Amino acid sequence: RKYNKVQMIDKEIIKIASNTENHGVLNNHTHSSKLKNGLCGDEMIIYLILQEGTIKDFKYECESCIYCQASVSLLSRKAKNKPIDKIKVFAKQAKKSFQNKKNSFGKEWKEFDNIMTKNNISRKECLLLPIKTTLDAINKKKL
């Protein structure tokens, strides 16, 4: 039974990661960051357009595993038109999420309930890399 649950989660991660609508360079970005996961070598570049404390556009480039790709795909879609403060609250919640068997990120972020779980704790750094890179970009100006 446990095998089926893992298999189901993997299918969900593949499905989420296959949405690449926000993959690519954002030439007119106002903020960006490039971070690397020291454990596995995943690389993430986040490009943002920030206006009046809100993420107006979000694009990414990555050389990474499927977990990292799923996380950034979801984040790139969910973070658009959200205030920076909401992103920061979500980031704190995401870091703690791997301690629980079941999560409740709330309505705005509920899709993350499926990937940021205790079952995926071995991929925690992969799943959090896009969030860390986004926070880093928010705190910086254009590369």
Side-chain angles (χ1 to χ4, degrees):
R1 282 228 167 244
K2 202 170 190 179
Y3 178 76
N4 288 338
K5 186 164 180 74
V6 171
Q7 200 175 28
M8 191 173 75
I9 290 169
D10 288 346
K11 283 182 181 176
E12 182 69 18
I13 286 174
I14 291 166
K15 182 179 154 195
I16 294 167
S18 68
N19 183 332
T20 57
E21 69 186 68
N22 293 315
H23 183 268
V25 178
L26 190 57
N27 291 321
N28 59 338
H29 62 275
T30 59
H31 294 69
S32 62
S33 177
K34 179 180 181 179
L35 293 181
K36 188 172 187 171
N37 182 339
L39 294 174
C40 67
D42 284 352
E43 280 190 358
M44 179 69 46
I45 305 173
I46 301 287
Y47 305 99
L48 303 173
I49 294 178
L50 296 182
Q51 289 177 344
E52 299 170 18
T54 299
I55 295 177
K56 293 295 180 186
D57 205 354
F58 186 123
K59 294 273 187 188
Y60 65 90
E61 292 182 297
C62 58
E63 288 186 28
S64 61
C65 70
I66 196 84
Y67 291 88
C68 198
Q69 290 171 34
S71 180
V72 74
S73 174
L74 209 45
L75 184 62
S76 70
R77 288 178 275 136
K78 295 295 172 184
K80 283 185 186 178
N81 300 310
K82 288 215 175 39
I84 292 168
D85 293 344
K86 282 194 175 191
I87 304 297
K88 290 179 179 178
V89 168
F90 165 71
K92 285 180 186 172
Q93 192 178 4
K95 285 179 189 170
K96 294 178 186 173
S97 68
F98 295 92
Q99 299 162 1
N100 310 319
K101 262 235 187 291
K102 269 230 184 251
N103 289 322
S104 182
F105 277 101
K107 198 170 125 185
E108 286 183 296
W109 306 99
K110 71 177 181 347
E111 290 87 347
F112 283 92
D113 286 341
N114 298 325
I115 64 172
M116 295 201 173
T117 65
K118 202 170 191 172
N119 289 341
N120 289 332
I121 196 157
S122 65
R123 297 307 198 126
K124 178 180 178 179
E125 293 305 313
C126 303
L127 289 160
L128 291 177
L129 182 62
I131 297 166
K132 290 177 183 175
T133 311
T134 300
L135 291 176
D136 192 54
I138 287 169
N139 294 321
K140 289 180 174 180
K141 286 283 186 194
K142 193 172 180 172
L143 280 177

